[in-house]
Amino acid sequence: MASAQVLCCHFDCRGVQVAPIVSFPVWNSLTTPKNPTLRFVNSTLMQADMIHTSQNKIPHVLTVAGSDSGAGAGIQADLKACAARRVYCSTVITAVTAQNTVGVQGVDIVPEDFVAEQLKSVLSDMHVDVVKTGMLPSLNIVKVLCGSLRKFPVKALVVDPVMISTSGDVLSGPSVLTGFREELLPMADIVTPNIKEASVLIGDVPLKSVSDMRTAAKLIHDLGPRNVLVKGGDLPNSSEAIDVFFDGEEFYELCSSRVNTRNTHGTGCTLASCIAAELAKGSSMLSAVKIAKHFIETALDYSRDLIIGNGAQGPFDHFLALKNINQHSCGQNRFHPNNLLLYAVTDSAMNRRWGRSIAEAVKAAVEGGATIVQLREKDAETRDFLDAAKVCLEICRSHGVPLLINDRIDVALACDADGVHIGQSDMPTNLARTLLGPEKIIGVSCKTPDQAQQAWIDGADYIGCGGVYPTNTKSNNRTIGLEGLKEVCQTSKLPVVAIGGIGLSNARTVMEIGEPNLKGVAVVSALFDRECVLTETRNLHAVIS
Ligand SMILES: Cc1ncc(COP(=O)(O)OP(=O)(O)O)c(N)n1
Ligand SMILES: Cc1ncsc1CCOP(=O)(O)O
Ligand SMILES: [Mg+2]
């Protein structure tokens, strides 16, 4: 691959008296500043321009595309991609498709006058930075769009020349091709054909290799767009997805690993929208393309096992969040008080003493019957803690056991743990809830009924109550005894787990205090300051079950 270079691109549409780039520091250096007031003909709009060039302006992409009822591609993918990339996205709908993971069952084209009306509504009112196009189902719609772009110039035009859906259905006919070639592509800052579309654009010449893709990129560039990205995802016999980027001077081969998944519906729309989003934020073209490719690769990898629909090609998850909902339940079911029964709390010093890693200790605990695990790694470096947490998370998830992080909300967020356990001097519970969102589990240490009441108000899920008995594991920790535990249990609206000095010899006594919301015991040394964690956990489990 050629080495990176600073691109000197002009992101404005061709043949137009272009807008200045007054509010884009990055692009300022890449474009020719012109008088801002030349931009719009009417004075109301000039005023709007003044307002929008303030520092609070939000990067804005307008997508001109078709709706996909299955929401994997089209307008819906564009909206999700822009939201995921933190860019505002407005929409002009060119067609409504009845579509799912099997294919396209129907297409209803929006009359061109109404496409024009939508374009005018958005472009005359909002400050659009970048226009991205998808399905343009008729020549007249292409013409209407080009006319609108001449009237309301934007800083960049990203053209995804959608002609055939991923399921093989034709989304725009041959007349549109003329519109692409003659009007739209000459205005484009980048065009992003896949192999089939590139082949159609250059006159139905089949592309079989990266070398063919380069040739096609050059020929498409000759049609007028400033940059061309020929996407090689569909190239047969390749273990990598190689895209060819051509800026008119240099070729770049952008490689990413081919993700083995059926969930690729909407990758083209998403890629083009991501490019548009990054351009709207001020990226150079090459870095916008690279960021977009990386985003797709990550999202596909994350979504590789999602099951949405019965067809051959499923949508993927732009927000990298759905998998967790599936895997370990959410909402009402995400945490069950019975999870507290045998609560294993790790201690790095103890594991070190016994020569085992955190992951080995956690594996033994869950195999021995621990029903929830907390990583309490007081002296670990953040990076090491995070790495260990990721490994432990996999172990716990494979056993259906929730994994919580002690104290460190940042680590919990970074590894997407199931929740946290926090004390009275850690992050306030209400703030932790805001940071972690409604789905994560939050446990709070409480010694008194007042603290338990406050934890409930602040959105905790359970209470850790102790130390019940004296312990060497936590210094300066007041012991509250069985009486203190009872008092908290009797007033707490949340389930309670007892902690502190609990082990084989006294666990049953604790559980037998007769408080219905005492759901289990949390133990550190009784499991981890022992030679065999597996055996100790099994034995303790037997005592309290
Ligand atoms: C289940 C459970 N209960 C109580 C604690 C103690 O938490 P905290 O008071 O924040 O003290 P540290 O563990 O941070 O020293 C706990 N960790 N787990
Ligand atoms: C973290 C914590 N919080 C209250 S007591 C305690 C330590 C419990 O450790 P052990 O189970 O070894 O007594
Ligand atoms: Mg703490």
Side-chain angles (χ1 to χ4, degrees):
M1 197 200 305
S3 60
Q5 63 168 27
V6 176
L7 293 179
C8 192
C9 301
H10 298 272
F11 291 126
D12 32 39
C13 299
R14 276 203 180 156
V16 186
Q17 177 135 49
V18 291
I21 314 295
V22 287
S23 56
F24 277 75
V26 178
W27 288 15
N28 261 344
S29 62
L30 300 174
T31 52
T32 317
K34 295 204 175 122
N35 180 350
T37 54
L38 288 181
R39 182 169 197 171
F40 298 108
V41 279
N42 116 10
S43 61
T44 322
L45 295 174
M46 281 197 315
Q47 247 181 358
D49 195 35
M50 305 290 283
I51 293 164
H52 290 306
T53 51
S54 75
Q55 284 187 334
N56 292 331
K57 199 184 69 54
I58 295 166
H60 185 146
V61 169
L62 162 62
T63 171
V64 183
S67 157
D68 168 5
S69 53
I75 287 279
Q76 289 83 353
D78 298 343
L79 282 167
K80 286 185 274 186
C82 286
R85 301 305 310 163
R86 296 178 185 272
V87 164
Y88 188 80
C89 183
S90 53
T91 57
V92 165
I93 299 183
T94 57
V96 180
T97 71
Q99 197 175 161
N100 56 21
T101 60
V102 178
V104 180
Q105 290 80 44
V107 177
D108 199 358
I109 297 178
V110 175
E112 70 251 23
D113 289 353
F114 201 67
V115 172
E117 199 165 332
Q118 294 176 72
L119 281 163
K120 188 172 170 207
S121 292
V122 175
L123 290 167
S124 68
D125 174 41
M126 299 173 166
H127 182 106
V128 172
D129 296 301
V130 179
V131 168
K132 175 256 159 191
T133 70
M135 180 181 175
L136 301 174
S138 74
L139 178 60
N140 283 344
I141 287 179
V142 176
K143 286 182 178 299
V144 157
L145 171 63
C146 293
S148 297
L149 288 171
R150 275 188 280 272
K151 193 163 172 203
F152 300 106
V154 292
K155 292 175 182 120
L157 173 62
V158 176
V159 174
D160 180 17
V162 174
M163 286 181 255
I164 304 157
S165 77
T166 38
S167 54
D169 299 279
V170 176
L171 296 174
S172 50
S175 66
V176 174
L177 191 57
T178 317
F180 279 166
R181 284 212 184 105
E182 291 174 7
E183 271 204 80
L184 192 63
L185 292 191
M187 297 175 83
D189 293 285
I190 182 165
V191 57
T192 61
N194 60 26
I195 294 273
K196 278 187 215 148
E197 290 156 351
S199 160
V200 172
L201 283 171
I202 60 170
D204 289 323
V205 180
L207 309 185
K208 295 195 176 111
S209 63
V210 174
S211 160
D212 292 348
M213 289 165 65
R214 282 174 171 247
T215 308
K218 171 89 185 62
L219 290 171
I220 294 168
H221 188 267
D222 291 344
L223 296 172
R226 287 168 173 78
N227 300 276
V228 181
L229 180 72
V230 179
K231 298 173 292 189
D234 297 333
L235 202 65
N237 309 324
S238 167
S239 61
E240 288 188 309
I242 301 175
D243 297 347
V244 170
F245 176 79
F246 181 55
D247 62 8
E249 285 174 8
E250 301 251 10
F251 287 98
Y252 299 82
E253 283 176 21
L254 307 173
C255 308
S256 46
S257 52
R258 192 183 287 277
V259 181
N260 186 15
T261 175
R262 75 182 261 279
N263 298 325
T264 55
H265 181 49
T267 44
C269 309
T270 303
L271 184 92
S273 289
C274 281
I275 294 172
E278 296 311 312
L279 293 177
K281 289 186 219 166
S283 278
S284 74
M285 188 60 83
L286 184 56
S287 67
V289 169
K290 284 182 180 173
I291 292 168
K293 256 186 86 73
H294 182 66
F295 175 79
I296 297 280
E297 196 184 350
T298 310
L300 288 183
D301 189 40
Y302 178 90
S303 314
R304 61 168 75 214
D305 299 322
L306 287 188
I307 299 172
I308 298 170
N310 295 305
Q313 229 181 3
F316 60 95
D317 175 9
H318 293 70
F319 298 102
L320 316 186
L322 294 172
K323 188 169 73 174
N324 296 336
I325 291 171
N326 268 347
Q327 273 190 352
H328 41 108
S329 71
C330 67
Q332 298 274 312
N333 297 325
R334 80 195 200 289
F335 168 71
H336 193 282
N338 290 349
N339 288 134
L340 297 174
L341 180 67
L342 178 41
Y343 190 143
V345 183
T346 69
D347 181 297
S348 40
M350 291 177 196
N351 286 325
R352 256 197 313 274
R353 191 153 50 239
W354 289 96
R356 55 190 164 230
S357 68
I358 306 167
E360 284 165 342
V362 166
K363 185 165 181 290
V366 293
E367 283 173 0
T371 52
I372 189 165
V373 172
Q374 178 191 139
L375 298 188
R376 183 173 178 271
E377 299 297 316
K378 293 289 187 185
D379 55 5
E381 298 285 343
T382 300
R383 190 76 62 100
D384 297 338
F385 194 1
L386 184 57
D387 289 345
K390 286 180 186 163
V391 179
C392 292
L393 205 52
E394 280 195 22
I395 295 166
C396 287
R397 289 202 171 144
S398 68
H399 287 77
V401 168
L403 180 93
L404 309 188
I405 305 290
N406 177 280
D407 294 351
R408 299 285 303 267
I409 313 277
D410 56 340
V411 173
L413 281 169
C415 70
D416 194 26
D418 299 299
V420 295
H421 186 93
I422 46 180
Q424 292 295 321
S425 53
D426 297 322
M427 176 78 71
T429 308
N430 57 346
L431 261 183
R433 177 55 76 205
T434 306
L435 291 169
L436 290 165
E439 303 301 337
K440 298 291 182 192
I441 303 167
I442 299 182
V444 179
S445 304
C446 300
K447 288 182 188 294
T448 67
D450 282 353
Q451 289 174 348
Q453 170 73 2
Q454 193 60 47
W456 175 72
I457 291 168
D458 288 343
D461 293 293
Y462 75 88
I463 290 198
C465 185
V468 175
Y469 299 115
T471 176
N472 291 326
T473 307
K474 182 171 169 66
S475 50
N476 302 321
N477 188 47
R478 183 168 64 85
T479 302
I480 60 168
L482 287 178
E483 283 313 307
L485 174 65
K486 271 188 186 171
E487 209 191 344
V488 168
C489 288
Q490 280 162 7
T491 49
S492 170
K493 298 188 181 70
L494 295 170
V496 177
V497 62
I499 189 167
I502 301 172
L504 257 185
S505 61
N506 55 15
R508 191 189 284 268
T509 312
V510 174
M511 291 306 289
E512 284 176 352
I513 62 170
E515 297 300 337
N517 62 347
L518 177 67
K519 297 297 178 191
V521 291
V523 284
V524 187
S525 52
L527 300 187
F528 297 111
D529 211 3
R530 300 286 187 278
E531 187 170 2
C532 183
V533 176
L534 181 75
T535 308
E536 300 300 334
T537 317
R538 274 193 188 138
N539 291 343
L540 192 55
H541 193 271
V543 164
I544 56 176
S545 303

